[in-house]
Amino acid sequence: QVQLVESGGGLVQPGGSLRLSCLASGRNFNNGAMGWYRQAPGKERELVATMSGSGIMDYADSVKGRFTISRDKAKNTVYLQMNSLKPEDTALYYCNAYLRYTYNYWGQGTQVTVSS
């Protein structure tokens, strides 16, 4: 059974930092992309950051320079280091594992709230 389990969300003040983790299990994910998406209330789910199986990274313009994605293939884990957090970063953050024509899995999400 495939599972993606996120952790690390919480409440943080503006300017603060959080590190999200996503542990994937149930199959081999090394060839595919893993990444993070987010959905704020009343908005569509959007890409935050992804890393391909070959290590190519992609970031939303709104988080470039503040967020960093990393991946430990040996641990089947992807991380999102979030610095200089802003209130507009408040959202439910989802982990995703994707390989074209093969699989597309989602975690259940972890809440990030940026507020003073």
Side-chain angles (χ1 to χ4, degrees), residues 34-67:
M34 292 190 72
W36 294 92
Y37 291 71
R38 67 187 181 187
Q39 187 167 18
K43 295 187 177 182
E44 294 186 352
R45 190 175 298 188
E46 63 176 1
L47 168 74
V48 178
T50 63
M51 181 180 286
S52 72
S54 60
I56 297 171
M57 292 173 281
D58 187 25
Y59 292 93
D61 287 343
S62 60
V63 306
K64 284 179 181 177
R66 301 188 297 123
F67 291 10

